[in-house]
Every structure is written in structure tokens, then in C-alpha cells.
Amino acid sequence: MTTTVPPVPSGPPPVDAAHDPHLSGVFEPVIDEIDAGDLEVTGELPPEMDGMYVRNGPNPRFTPLGSYIYPLEGDGMVHGLSVSGGRARYANRFVHTPMLDAEIAAGRALWGGLMTGYTPGADEVGPSLAGTMKDLPDINVVRHGGKLLALAESAPPYALTPELATVGRETFGGSLPAGICAHPKVDPRTGEMVVFCYGLEAPYLTWSVLGPDGGTRRAPTAVPDVDTPVMIHDMAITERFVVLVLGPMYFDVAAAMRGGSLLAWRPEDGTRIALIPRDGSPVRWAHTDAFWSWHSANAYDTGDGPDATVVLDYVEWSRPGGLSPNTSPIVGGITRAEIDPVSGSITRRFLTDPHGMEFPRVDDRRLGQRHGVIALGTKTGRVELANGNFDAVLWLDTATERAVTWDAGDLSVGEPCFVPKPGDEDATHGWWVTFATDRTDRSSWFVVFAAADPGAGPVAKVRIPVRVPLGLHGAWLPTEE
Ligand SMILES: [Fe+2]
């Protein structure tokens, strides 16, 4: 009689998911890809609302090996909530990278977490995937130039079908082989999509422009005076400039090779803001004391003249605490920087009490122009919540600098996203939407707020028949004619 001995799994051991706040509770990954129609609605979905809210986020298919750092890794999963004629349906799909599909075929995780550096060999994944890092298109989604893209951090995105099936890695006809950032900005005036990309080798930072048809209008162009690999997560645009905030967070490959941290925070260097003229003329710099920003809300020029100021609204943190969970608490708040592109002078002030908030969004029709309301997730402080978990939504009217907050109670809420009323330029006639999950019974909901009075709470709640884990960024995709 012969017996078959199963192969011993290679690689680091699985992490303790039950005790990882970003792998358990409202963050616990889901496995099934489902479609569900005719969902139960409490209240009334606006009859004019017609489109799909799509949200991306890390959702490891298998328990990660060795390490797991939220929000930097995990297989991408997109969740789509479609609304039409007052009815709603839901679908979710993994972003099927070749690495994820290899793991699904094996029935277990094969790649180690980012901190382990472990990659599987050809005996496990074949020669084409051996030694590769995992693609991680798990951060954001954007639709531009006829393509729906799941976005990674400074890497090629993955194209999806309108039904959220994966098409494959997108390099824009080979013109952007190194990829793009997770937060490209589509200029509503020109239809252009402006992107940047950072890398570990020179040129460390480039920017590019895709035309409204998705074709490359500006090939990757190096940002000068960046002589070290630096991490930049988000960007902003004005009519004149691409705006990049360079906090002193560097990649230190030598330290990582010695077993240290790949990322180094060096506050003595201060923070620099690059104003990159979109016409290709020389880059202007502003330099200030060190702060960190994951996300911008928007930026704009205060006028047409050469001496017009650039206003940048963003969430400022004293340092990047999300990557150093064992350090003391830090807080973040919406901040306004006013930058003189001629002199490089800069002033900064909080527009809100800095008590911890993230994921700022505006009406995307105002990107690059003077905006009205900024919406974002925030914390009541009533309960201890992990990074990326919020129990309230805050709307700041930047004209009056008055804020309203909706206390979500037992619900954990994600990034708010603005939905315009079709054919209506008035933002107060639109809505804000997001996914929310109840921390007590783990039921998940799609919630809709009237932009005219969001603090009054949702005008509609759609019950989703499965749990939607908390995640990162989303987009409203109006139904196309
Ligand atoms: Fe982000």
C-alpha cells in the first residue's frame, strides 16, 4: 500500500488573523464573489440616481503569510452597488491578478507579506511568476478614457469590465510601464487624467497626462530636484499646476537589506510641495516644517494672473502614524495651505479641530477649481477604532468653515463619495454615499445622504445581503448613454 504525503507548505507561517484589527471584525475579508438584486431599501432611493458606486479595498483571499500591513497590502476586491429607478443591486469581485489566481489554484497563500520579502519559487508558481512581488491593485478605482481601472500604489493598474470582471494589467499601450499612482485626478474642464509615479530608482518621481480618450498626452516626465526615493500617496491639480506634497518619508533599501524598515521618516528634512506647471515650464517649490499627508481634498488657483496663490486643502498629520502602530497617538485634520508660486512662501492652518479624520472628498466636478464642501470619515472618540475605521461622517463647508457631523452610532463608515444629480450643476441637489457596517451584528449597508442636509442622516439605506468589509476608495460611475 502506498500513501501520498502532502507537500509541506513553504514560506512564513500565517499571521494570527483573529487578533489583527484589519483582518477581523468589520475588516474581516470575504471570500465569495456574489451578485444580488432587488435589495431591501429603507427610506427612498432618489429616482434620478442612476449608476454604480464602486469601492476598492484590501481583502486577502487567504490568511497572509508572515506579516500584514494595512492599508499597503492584500488582494483587491471591488464592491459595486448599482442604483436605477429606485432599486438597487450589488456585486463584488476580486481583482484577479495572476498572483491571486495562482494562490486560488494552490488553495492557499503563496506570497509572503511585504515585511517578509518572501516570494514563491518556480516549483510553486511557474517561471513567469517566480520571484515576482504581488501586484496589489487594491486601493482605488477610476473610470477614464473608456476604461475602468483598479488602482495600485505606484504600479500598473488593472482594467476591469463594467461588470467588474478583471481584464488585466494596464500599461496604456506600453507608454506607462512603471504604472501610475493610486489617486490620479481627472480634470473636469479638459477631460485629462493627470497622474504621477514614484519608484526606487531614478527618475524617482515622474508625472504624466492621459487625454480624454485614454491616449498618452504627456509621457512620464521627471520632477527635478528629487534625488532620493520618496513615498507620495495622493496628489492634486489646479488649472495651472500639478500639486505634489513630498513629506520626508523615504525608501531606504539599504536599511531594508540589513533587516530594518524599508520606510524612513526624517522630519529634519521638512516637507516640500512641488507646484509643477501643467504647461511644462519649470517646477516651483515651497518648503515648510515636516508634516505628513495621505490625502488631498482638492486644490485651486485663486486667480488667472501669474501671482495667483495656490490653495491646497488636505488632511495633515504630524507624522505617518498608520505605518508605525506602536508609536504614540497622532491626530489629523483638514488643513488649508496657501502657497505663493512665485516666492515659494506657504502658510498652513487647520480648517477643523484636528481630532482624527481621513478620506476627504469633494464634488469631483470641482476638481482643480474652487470647491465647496469637503466630506470625510471621522471619529466620535466614543469607542476605540483602528486606522481606517470611522464612526461618523463630517462635512465641512469651506466657504463658511462650518462643519456638520453625522454620528453613525454602531456603524463603521467608509469614504464618502459625491453623486451629482443628473443634469444639475447645483451640488446641494446631489447626494453623498458610502458603505457602512454595523459593529454589533456585522450587517452592511449602502447609505445615501442628501447633500442639502447631510447632518440629518441617511435618506435611504440599502441592506446588502452579505458583509462588505471596510475598505479604501471608491467612485460613482454614472450610467453611460
Ligand atoms: Fe488613498
Side-chain angles (χ1 to χ4, degrees), residues 365 420-426:
R365 297 173 302 177
K421 184 175 181 180
D424 191 328
E425 290 299 311
D426 189 336

Side-chain angles (χ1 to χ4, degrees), residues 1 24 58 72 79 88 92 99 127 155 219 266 282 287 289 295 303 336 344 350 367 379 426 428 433:
M1 185 177 122
S24 57
L72 298 186
H79 303 262
N92 68 315
M99 298 82 175
R266 297 184 185 131
H287 200 166
D289 53 306
H295 296 116
R336 171 158 293 181
F350 281 118
L367 284 177
K379 307 197 184 205
D426 189 336
T428 65
V433 301

Side-chain angles (χ1 to χ4, degrees), residues 139-140 153 182-183 233-234 294-295 359 415 472-473:
I139 300 178
N140 198 358
E153 174 85 4
H183 287 282
H233 183 65
D234 199 352
W294 287 109
H295 296 116
F359 300 152
E415 176 190 70
L472 297 173
H473 306 289

Side-chain angles (χ1 to χ4, degrees), residues 339-373:
I339 309 154
D340 179 343
V342 178
S343 69
S345 69
I346 176 171
T347 60
R348 291 152 41 218
R349 65 185 175 92
F350 281 118
L351 297 182
T352 56
D353 172 33
H355 59 273
M357 52 190 73
E358 259 301 350
F359 300 152
R361 292 293 293 269
V362 300
D363 174 353
D364 284 346
R365 297 173 302 177
R366 305 302 304 168
L367 284 177
Q369 306 156 66
R370 199 178 290 265
H371 52 272
V373 170

